[in-house]
Amino acid sequence: FSLLKKINEAVGVTVFKQVQNKSVIPPVENTFRSFCDSCSELDKLFANGNIDGKNLKNWMQRQKTASESDFISSDNKHPEITPRQMLKLLESKVCGTTDLSDLIKESSDYRQQVAHHIAASSEEVVSYSQKFYDLCKRISQSGERLVLKLKEYIEEYENERL
């Protein structure tokens, strides 16, 4: 996934601590469980522990992408939004959409289904390898749009400062 490296390069700080996971592979069997296992490995790249929330927050505030109030959680248990929520905030502010974050959530939902032993709905014959490939492709395309918008945003910000 060169996408994470591109996002780090676009913002000029480490947003993603790890930019690859060698365990992100297509399902080894054509089963829902194997598909979910693949999604689980993909999800680790976008997990809160892999996103440097402090760097992301500082960058967003320096670039005036978000204010301090944007980082306050509505959840009483946590005063600040999670790093994954910060990524979604960035995407929303820069792209005007949350396509990438929505796809990350989809991947995460599959991971949770297998963790909670939820069986797949009765689907037609499915190629889980193709389904995983399609999910990864859509994540890459949405991420590339984010990288492009980040570059445009930074260029506009720099021009305004001159």
Side-chain angles (χ1 to χ4, degrees):
F1 247 61
S2 62
L3 170 63
L4 305 183
K5 185 177 179 184
K6 289 178 182 179
I7 292 172
N8 283 350
E9 289 170 354
V11 297
V13 298
T14 300
V15 174
F16 294 98
K17 299 171 190 174
Q18 300 293 320
V19 294
Q20 62 183 359
N21 176 352
K22 294 183 189 293
S23 297
V24 176
I25 58 171
V28 294
E29 298 175 341
N30 194 40
T31 63
F32 182 69
R33 175 161 183 88
S34 187
F35 169 73
C36 290
D37 289 343
S38 294
C39 289
S40 179
E41 292 302 323
L42 177 63
D43 186 56
K44 289 176 184 177
L45 289 171
F46 298 98
N48 286 320
N50 193 43
I51 299 171
D52 191 321
K54 185 176 179 180
N55 277 351
L56 184 54
K57 178 181 178 180
N58 289 339
W59 183 87
M60 290 173 70
Q61 288 180 315
R62 272 194 322 271
Q63 297 292 320
K64 303 198 184 327
T65 307
S67 64
E68 185 64 38
S69 63
D70 290 321
F71 297 97
I72 297 172
S73 174
S74 59
D75 178 6
N76 291 333
K77 296 176 188 174
H78 306 286
E80 189 169 81
I81 61 175
T82 66
R84 190 181 274 190
Q85 290 169 323
M86 288 180 198
L87 181 64
K88 184 175 184 175
L89 175 65
L90 172 68
E91 183 185 15
S92 172
K93 296 280 189 176
V94 172
C95 298
T97 67
T98 58
D99 295 342
L100 175 61
S101 296
D102 295 344
L103 290 166
I104 293 167
K105 171 90 170 80
E106 181 180 333
S107 176
S108 180
D109 289 347
Y110 286 123
R111 179 191 61 76
Q112 290 177 8
Q113 285 182 25
V114 79
H116 292 59
H117 308 293
I118 298 170
S121 59
S122 56
E123 297 181 30
E124 299 173 22
V125 176
V126 171
S127 169
Y128 287 107
S129 291
Q130 186 63 47
K131 188 171 181 168
F132 184 71
Y133 170 79
D134 291 343
L135 177 62
C136 289
K137 184 177 178 182
R138 292 183 331 200
I139 288 173
S140 290
Q141 289 169 337
S142 295
E144 290 293 338
R145 278 193 296 278
L146 175 60
V147 169
L148 179 66
K149 292 292 190 179
L150 280 167
K151 289 178 180 178
E152 290 172 2
Y153 181 86
I154 292 166
E155 186 177 314
E156 286 177 26
Y157 178 78
E158 293 297 321
N159 288 337
E160 288 177 8
R161 291 180 55 201
L162 297 176

